[in-house]
């Protein structure tokens, strides 16, 4: 049982150390900028939708 676990850990290390391609700093930075931009755009769209529905509900239910 313990031998299987140790073998599993060794295989995981080998895969992470030698088979996985890690992004460069430039690629990581570009990806972060894309995610941040998309998040901000989605937040602005949701905010605009919220204001629109708030105005519509204000017309339907005045007071």
């Amino acid at each position: 049982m313990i031998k299987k676990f140790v073998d599993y850990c060794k295989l995981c290390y080998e895969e992470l150390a030698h088979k996985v391609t890690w992004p460069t700093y430039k690629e990581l930075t570009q990806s972060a900028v894309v995610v941040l931009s998309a998040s901000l755009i989605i937040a602005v769209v949701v905010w605009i939708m919220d204001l629109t529905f708030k105005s519509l509900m204000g017309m339907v239910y005045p007071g």
Side-chain angles (χ1 to χ4, degrees), residues 3 9-10 13 15 21 24 32-33 43-44 50 52 60-61:
K3 183 181 182 325
C9 289
K10 286 180 183 178
Y13 172 77
E15 185 169 347
T21 55
T24 63
V33 168
V44 168
D50 182 53
T52 303
V60 174
Y61 300 109

Side-chain angles (χ1 to χ4, degrees), residues 3-63:
K3 183 181 182 325
K4 283 185 178 183
F5 179 73
V6 170
D7 289 341
Y8 173 76
C9 289
K10 286 180 183 178
L11 287 173
C12 288
Y13 172 77
E14 286 298 318
E15 185 169 347
L16 285 172
H18 303 292
K19 295 181 182 178
V20 174
T21 55
W22 297 98
T24 63
Y25 182 77
K26 183 178 178 182
E27 292 171 336
L28 194 60
T29 305
Q30 288 174 345
S31 296
V33 168
V34 168
V35 169
L36 181 62
S37 301
S39 297
L40 288 173
I41 290 169
I42 291 170
V44 168
V45 168
V46 170
W47 178 66
I48 291 170
M49 290 172 59
D50 182 53
L51 289 177
T52 303
F53 287 125
K54 182 180 176 183
S55 297
L56 288 173
M57 290 297 114
M59 286 188 260
V60 174
Y61 300 109

